[in-house]
Amino acid sequence: MVHATSPLLLLLLSLALVAPSLSARKCSLSGKWANDLGSNMTIEDVNENGEFYGTYDTAVADYPQNIKESPLLGFRQNRARKPTFGFTVRWKFSESTTVFVGQCFTDRSGKEVLKTTWLQRFPIENTDDDWKATRASSNFYTRLRTEEE
Amino acid sequence: MVHATSPLLLLLLSLALVAPSLSARKCSLSGKWANDLGSNMTIEDVNENGEFYGTYDTAVADYPQNIKESPLLGFRQNRARKPTFGFTVRWKFSESTTVFVGQCFTDRSGKEVLKTTWLQRFPIENTDDDWKATRASSNFYTRLRTEEE
Amino acid sequence: MVHATSPLLLLLLSLALVAPSLSARKCSLSGKWANDLGSNMTIEDVNENGEFYGTYDTAVADYPQNIKESPLLGFRQNRARKPTFGFTVRWKFSESTTVFVGQCFTDRSGKEVLKTTWLQRFPIENTDDDWKATRASSNFYTRLRTEEE
Amino acid sequence: MVHATSPLLLLLLSLALVAPSLSARKCSLSGKWANDLGSNMTIEDVNENGEFYGTYDTAVADYPQNIKESPLLGFRQNRARKPTFGFTVRWKFSESTTVFVGQCFTDRSGKEVLKTTWLQRFPIENTDDDWKATRASSNFYTRLRTEEE
C-alpha cells in the first residue's frame, strides 16, 4: 500500500537524487587548464585505473623559441573527491624531464583549481654533477573555458 | 692488395665492431631496482615513445603495516645514453601520490645507478593547508641482481 | 653662454638627478611583510655583511594553538638591485626548523614582492626515517603598510 | 651508618655519573664537516639562542675556478639530542644564495652525521622567470677528523 512507504525508502530515494550532484562535485582532471605562467595543458579522460594522457604546451623554457607541445602521462587517485595526482612531461624540445604532483580542488562555487609542485631534471654528464641537476617550483592551474562552453 | 687497406676503412671497421658495445652501454631503465632504503621497483620495457609501466614495492611508509605493491607509470627521454626520466606512483594503501624524476647512469665498469629526487603529495581538505601537503627527498637505485642471472 | 651647454653635460646632469631614485629602488628587505597565507614577518636592518635578524609570526602550523612568534636570521646578497637572500626560522613552538630562500623584487610602480621557496625539517628518531622529514613549498610576501605610513 | 645507603641514593649517584656521558652524546654541530661531494664546512660554537656562524668551502660550483670560502649563519634547535637546524650561505663568488635544513644524528658507536636538504636561489631579472630560479638537492656530512685529534 502506498502509505506504507518507509522512511528508509524515502532516504534511499533522496540519496539517489542527491548522489549525482555530489559525484558531479568530484574534482575532475579532464579538460583544458591554464597556469599562472600562461602555460596550457589538456588532460584526456582518466581511465578506471586512474591513468591519464595529455599534452602540455608550456609558455616558458630556457630556450623559448624551441618550445613544442609535449606529451604527459600520469596517475590520479580514485577515491577522494579532491584527489591527488601526478604526471610526467617528456619535453620534445629538451632532454630534461619534469614531474608534477598535486591535488584537484573544487570550491563551493564550483571553481576548480589544481595546486601542483614540480621538479625538472636536467641531464648531466656524470653523477658528480648530480647536485645541480634538479629545479623545483610550484604552479596552480585553473580550468580554461573555451568559447563554445 | 693488402697495403691498399685505407686507414679510413680500418676506422670504419673498428667503429662497426665497437658500436654495438657502446650502444649496449646506453643506460636501461628496464628491470628490477633497489634503493638505499630497501625499497624495490620493477620497470617493464620502455616503448618507442619512451613510456613505461612498472610496480613499486616500498620499504617505508607512514603506516608500514598497510604497504601494498603499487603501480608506476612514466616517461623516459629517448636520445641520450644517460637519459632523464620521470614516473608517478599511485599508492594502493594511501591517498597520496609520489612523483620521481631522475637520470640513469652507467659507469665505466658497467655499474648502473638511478639518481632520483621525489615529491609526495598528501590530500588536504582545503587549499589553505596547501603549504603542508608536499614532502621532498632523494633516493638512488642500483640494479637488483637475481640469483639466476 | 647658454648654448654652450653640451648634450653630454645635460645627460650627465640628468643621470645625477635620476641616480638617487634608481638606487632608492634597490629592493629592501627591511620592514614588515605579509604572505599569501596571512603570515607576517619583520626584518630588521641588514648590516654591511648582508646579515639580518627578524621575527616570524606564522598564520599556519600543524598545531595552530601553539603558535608563538619566532626568531629568524639570515643573509642577503649585497650587490644586486634585486638581491637573493636566505634565512632560517627557529620555531619556538616546535622542534622543526624552516629555511627560506628567495629574491626581492621591485616593479616599475615601486611595488615590492619577495618570492620565496622553503623547506621545513622535522626531527626524526633515526636516519632510516630521513625520507619523511622534509616538507617543501613556496610563498610570496608583500610589504605590510602600517597605518602611520 | 654505612649500611643505611639507600637504593635511591645509589640510583641518584649512578645518574650523576652517567649523565655527563649521556649529555655528551647530544649531537654537536660545532666543528669541521665534509660532505659526500668533498665540500667542507666549519661551524663555530652554537650560542645559547641556538645561533651559529661558520664558513663553507664548496667543492662544486657552476664556475669552479671562482670558488671562494663563504660565510654561513643559522639556527639550531636547543632541546633535542638530535636537533634540527638550518643555515644560509652567502656565496662570495656568486649572486645566488643557498639555504640548508637538516638534522644532527649520533649513532650508538658515536659516529655523527648531518642529513641536509638544500635550495639554491639564482637571481633572475623579473618575476616571470621565477619558475627557473631554484635548485634543490640533498647532502650528508660527516665529521672531518684533523690529524692532531
Side-chain angles (χ1 to χ4, degrees), chain A residues 49 51 53 71-80 82 84-88 90-91 94-97 99-103 105 113 115 117-119 121-127 130 134, chain B residues 49 51 53 71-80 82 84-88 90-91 94-97 99-103 105 113 115 117-119 121-127 130 134:
Chain A
N49 298 319
E51 191 181 328
Y53 285 78
L72 69 83
L73 172 60
F75 271 137
R76 189 207 61 196
Q77 289 283 3
N78 281 336
R79 281 175 300 189
K82 298 170 184 172
T84 64
F85 61 86
F87 61 85
T88 304
R90 180 165 69 76
W91 302 112
S94 153
E95 288 299 310
S96 71
T97 298
V99 289
F100 292 76
V101 73
Q103 190 177 350
F105 293 93
V113 64
K115 300 284 268 180
T117 308
W118 55 258
L119 296 171
R121 169 81 192 200
F122 290 87
I124 51 169
E125 196 43 39
N126 66 66
T127 55
D130 199 58
T134 309
Chain B
N49 298 320
E51 190 181 329
Y53 285 78
L72 69 84
L73 172 59
F75 270 137
R76 188 207 61 195
Q77 288 284 4
N78 282 336
R79 280 176 301 191
K82 298 169 183 172
T84 64
F85 62 86
F87 61 84
T88 304
R90 180 166 68 76
W91 302 111
S94 154
E95 288 299 309
S96 71
T97 298
V99 288
F100 292 76
V101 73
Q103 191 177 349
F105 293 93
V113 65
K115 301 284 268 180
T117 308
W118 54 259
L119 296 171
R121 170 81 193 200
F122 290 87
I124 51 169
E125 197 42 40
N126 66 68
T127 55
D130 200 59
T134 309

Side-chain angles (χ1 to χ4, degrees), chain C residues 125-145:
Chain C
E125 196 41 42
N126 66 67
T127 54
D128 293 347
D129 285 337
D130 200 59
W131 66 275
K132 67 174 177 187
T134 310
R135 272 183 194 154
S137 190
S138 300
N139 282 110
F140 66 90
Y141 296 77
T142 51
R143 195 173 288 276
L144 198 65
R145 296 288 170 193

Side-chain angles (χ1 to χ4, degrees), chain C residues 49 51 53 73 76-77 79 82 84 86 88 90-91 94-97 99-100 103 121 123-125, chain D residues 49 51 53 73 76-77 79 82 84 86 88 90-91 94-97 99-100 103 121 123-125:
Chain C
N49 298 319
E51 192 180 326
Y53 285 78
L73 174 58
R76 188 208 60 194
Q77 288 284 3
R79 282 176 299 189
K82 298 170 184 172
T84 64
T88 304
R90 180 165 68 77
W91 301 112
S94 153
E95 288 298 310
S96 72
T97 298
V99 289
F100 292 77
Q103 190 176 350
R121 170 79 192 201
I124 51 169
E125 196 41 42
Chain D
N49 298 320
E51 192 180 326
Y53 285 78
L73 173 58
R76 188 207 61 195
Q77 288 284 3
R79 282 176 301 190
K82 298 169 185 172
T84 64
T88 304
R90 180 166 68 77
W91 301 113
S94 154
E95 288 298 310
S96 71
T97 298
V99 289
F100 292 76
Q103 191 176 349
R121 170 80 192 201
I124 52 169
E125 197 40 42

